[in-house]
Amino acid sequence: MSGFLFAFLCAVLAGIGARDQRLVAQLSARLGSHFGLLIAALVTAVATSAVAAWAATVLSAEVAGPARLVFAAMALGIAGIEALLLSARKAPAEPTRSLFAAALVLLAQQATDAVRFVILALALLTAAPISAGMGGATGSAALLAAAWAFPELATANRLRTLRRIAGGVLLIAALALVWRVFS
């Protein structure tokens, strides 16, 4: 249960103002709150979170002890760097009405976003990949649903500042974990 709760909270922290959230908000604002867009966003969030939890399961079977902590620290560090450096692009000039295309772009963005790396790290740290995956998927889905329902809030510029703060917190957590391993 703690893996679910930590993953949920960390997914919300790492996902605020993320590329996928802004894309859903931009498409929802431009094309209207199409229910299919919400479904596509939720399905991709659940699928990519499940892959991150599965990767943690495979990695846990291969490595043990301090090496698992090092991999978790690397995942947190990558999540922090992603949150600090990669920002959402401008709204597309002519957004597609194809749900398949939107889902494909969301899938590509989510495969390498901070939330999935946080899920990977927490699944490694808690040794509970299923609950960490479920918590991360729920947190990510909640943010995407909020972006779909309230696109004007999800595209606010102050979210970029919150995202950078979250990236800094993730980097500090990665450094603290590395310090713990090597001290």
Side-chain angles (χ1 to χ4, degrees):
M1 185 65 178
S2 64
F4 178 89
L5 180 62
F6 287 138
F8 177 82
L9 292 174
C10 289
V12 170
L13 172 73
I16 290 177
R19 294 175 291 159
D20 59 341
Q21 184 185 14
R22 286 186 64 100
L23 179 64
V24 168
Q26 290 165 347
L27 290 175
S28 181
R30 183 74 58 95
L31 303 175
S33 295
H34 190 274
F35 192 66
L37 176 63
L38 176 63
I39 297 299
L42 297 180
V43 167
T44 58
V46 170
T48 53
S49 297
V51 169
W54 171 79
T57 303
V58 170
L59 198 57
S60 293
E62 297 295 324
V63 296
R68 227 164 81 177
L69 296 177
V70 170
F71 279 111
M74 287 171 37
L76 285 175
I78 291 170
I81 290 169
E82 192 274 338
L84 283 170
L85 298 181
L86 296 180
S87 61
R89 296 182 178 171
K90 294 180 183 177
E94 294 183 23
T96 181
R97 294 193 180 278
S98 168
L99 291 178
F100 178 75
L104 194 61
V105 171
L106 284 170
L107 191 66
Q109 287 179 342
Q110 291 172 351
T112 58
D113 73 351
V115 173
R116 283 2 110 179
F117 282 109
V118 166
I119 292 170
L120 176 65
L122 289 176
L124 287 170
L125 290 172
T126 62
I130 293 174
S131 60
M134 288 173 45
T138 305
S140 181
L143 284 175
L144 291 171
W148 175 80
F150 307 106
E152 63 281 350
L153 294 176
T155 55
N157 284 334
R158 64 179 165 244
L159 290 182
R160 289 182 186 183
T161 304
L162 288 174
R163 182 145 176 83
R164 290 198 169 95
I165 292 170
V169 169
L170 290 169
L171 279 177
I172 290 170
L175 291 173
L177 195 54
V178 168
W179 178 264
R180 179 178 172 205
V181 169
F182 292 111
S183 64

